[in-house]
Amino acid sequence: MITMDKVLSISNLNIKLHTNCGTIHAVRGINLDIAKGEIHGIVGESGCGKTVSAKAILRLHNDLFTNYSGEIKYDSKSDILKMTNKELMNLRGKYISLIFQDPVQSLNPLLKIGGQITETIRAHSKLNSREAYIKAVSLMEDLGIHPAEERFNQFPFELSGGMLQRVMIAAAISSNPRLLVADEPTTALDVTMQAKILDLFKEIRGKTGMSILFITHNFGVVAEICDRVSVMYAGKIVESGNVKDIFRRPAHPYTKALIESIPKAKQTGKRMIAIPGSPPELSCEIKGCAFAPRCEYAEEKCFSESPREYKISDSHINLCHLKK
Ligand code: SF4
């Protein structure tokens, strides 16, 4: 299903955010390719730069308080970081869509859900209101929002969290974007609903061939849904590869620690494994490897020299002084 054609290509992306508390170097030189039709996961702890990177793909940060360098190329051609506002408006929703973690926060509580879906449909097509209604109801049926005609006229407070996330997905895919960026879309849901929504993403990819960038802090979710994964730590991608390779042979100590910390069914009665310490402050300069203070394999040079990316195979990249 995955081809070598790229829908998005990020090269040496750096993002500095200017805040009241000083400048935060939130993303520190990441490279990432998303192939057509693949589900690519970005996994890491809170504050590692996952969401900042996702928002940069649609240039959603306030340009006045953000410094970008590097490239984000859509379809191997246009650099999103150089697009004009008019070009960005055309890109957002039509070619690249974004789903946030909390649908309650993302939907307008005063508007009926059907109207919020048709608004998106009409913004990116020439359909009249009747045609947009028919498309919205059909999408809602496909995504399990039953009975669609009745739900169409309900307000967000009348639906459960799982149904609201389906509404968000319906609005996001209504214009058939080539890339869907989903930022922790299942985190606010209970476990049963999480599984259903993950199945829905797989179904959408199967039916439409859409690429999905799936952002999560949960490696279990990555195993469930992704083809490839990039592991982020302190604003850098420290390991990247096929999900099977990363689970079978994780190379970076942080990836290993994340996988070991996934709760297992047979673990009853044992303590859960946690990574000691906490990630570094991204407002301070980081010398050497950012993971060194928490890494059980750290050597002297890890504290002074930044590790370089090296290839374990054509599809597996690691950023660590220990080459295995
Ligand atoms: Fe650990 Fe050193 Fe590798 Fe960093 S470079 S992950 S500190 S071994």
Side-chain angles (χ1 to χ4, degrees):
M1 184 187 308
I2 298 172
T3 68
M4 292 308 288
D5 291 343
K6 297 172 202 164
V7 70
L8 195 89
S9 184
I10 299 179
S11 315
N12 196 23
L13 177 68
N14 281 274
I15 305 174
K16 288 183 182 171
L17 304 172
H18 305 296
T19 71
N20 289 339
C21 306
T23 299
I24 296 169
H25 198 164
V27 176
R28 302 185 301 133
I30 65 167
N31 299 305
L32 177 72
D33 290 334
I34 301 173
K36 287 180 183 167
E38 83 161 319
I39 303 183
H40 193 117
I42 297 188
V43 67
E45 288 162 286
S46 300
C48 70
K50 310 181 298 278
T51 297
V52 176
S53 307
K55 283 184 166 179
I57 292 172
L58 283 161
R59 278 254 309 275
L60 292 177
H61 298 287
N62 186 329
D63 282 351
L64 286 176
F65 305 110
T66 312
N67 266 26
Y68 298 102
S69 66
E71 268 183 354
I72 305 179
K73 282 205 165 177
Y74 169 68
D75 215 12
S76 309
K77 289 180 225 117
S78 329
D79 184 356
I80 294 172
L81 296 183
K82 295 200 175 102
M83 281 186 178
T84 61
N85 281 342
K86 197 176 164 198
E87 288 168 330
L88 281 173
M89 291 301 284
N90 189 44
L91 178 89
R92 292 173 185 154
K94 189 170 177 184
Y95 299 102
I96 305 179
S97 277
L98 180 64
I99 298 173
F100 289 107
Q101 180 181 130
D102 188 354
V104 179
Q105 302 275 342
S106 311
L107 289 162
N108 187 332
L110 302 176
L111 295 178
K112 291 177 180 173
I113 58 152
Q116 300 193 52
I117 300 173
T118 50
E119 190 185 351
T120 317
I121 293 172
R122 295 197 69 192
H124 300 292
S125 72
K126 293 194 171 106
L127 298 185
N128 63 31
S129 57
R130 178 72 197 155
E131 291 163 337
Y133 169 80
I134 292 167
K135 182 165 183 182
V137 168
S138 149
L139 248 178
M140 288 167 70
E141 284 291 349
D142 285 352
L143 296 179
I145 310 169
H146 305 302
E149 290 193 8
E150 203 175 295
R151 297 281 192 200
F152 189 94
N153 287 312
Q154 289 184 321
F155 289 95
F157 75 86
E158 296 179 87
L159 275 73
S160 66
M163 276 296 167
L164 289 179
Q165 195 56 288
R166 286 170 196 254
V167 171
M168 289 297 301
I169 295 170
I173 67 167
S174 62
S175 57
N176 302 320
R178 310 234 350 254
L179 173 65
L180 180 64
V181 180
D183 187 5
E184 305 260 13
T186 56
T187 305
L189 306 176
D190 63 57
V191 181
T192 322
M193 193 48 72
Q194 261 190 28
K196 286 184 183 164
I197 296 290
L198 290 181
D199 284 344
L200 197 57
F201 278 109
K202 285 192 262 185
E203 203 181 306
I204 291 167
R205 188 269 296 270
K207 277 188 189 163
T208 63
M210 198 178 282
S211 308
I212 301 175
L213 179 62
F214 201 97
I215 291 165
T216 178
H217 62 275
N218 185 339
F219 234 125
V221 168
V222 169
E224 187 65 35
I225 191 173
C226 299
D227 304 303
R228 289 195 300 150
V229 61
S230 295
V231 182
M232 264 190 106
Y233 185 77
K236 285 187 185 246
I237 289 176
V238 295
E239 185 165 4
S240 181
N242 295 325
V243 169
K244 279 186 189 157
D245 291 343
I246 300 259
F247 269 88
R248 280 187 200 139
R249 292 178 293 278
H252 195 280
Y254 179 60
T255 314
K256 283 183 193 165
L258 276 183
I259 292 174
E260 278 165 13
S261 63
I262 300 173
K264 297 169 188 72
K266 290 181 189 160
Q267 204 170 303
T268 339
K270 287 187 191 161
R271 263 182 177 277
M272 289 194 28
I273 300 165
I275 307 171
S278 46
E281 286 287 333
L282 294 178
S283 51
C284 307
E285 196 197 335
I286 297 172
K287 221 174 159 200
C289 170
F291 191 55
R294 305 173 78 186
C295 179
E296 59 178 300
Y297 307 99
E299 302 169 343
E300 212 178 313
K301 74 171 175 182
C302 299
F303 292 89
S304 55
E305 278 176 44
S306 296
R308 290 201 183 163
E309 218 176 72
Y310 73 94
K311 276 187 176 184
I312 295 170
S313 70
D314 280 349
S315 58
H316 192 170
I317 285 162
N318 189 21
L319 188 79
C320 176
H321 286 306
L322 301 179
K323 297 190 177 172
K324 292 180 188 168

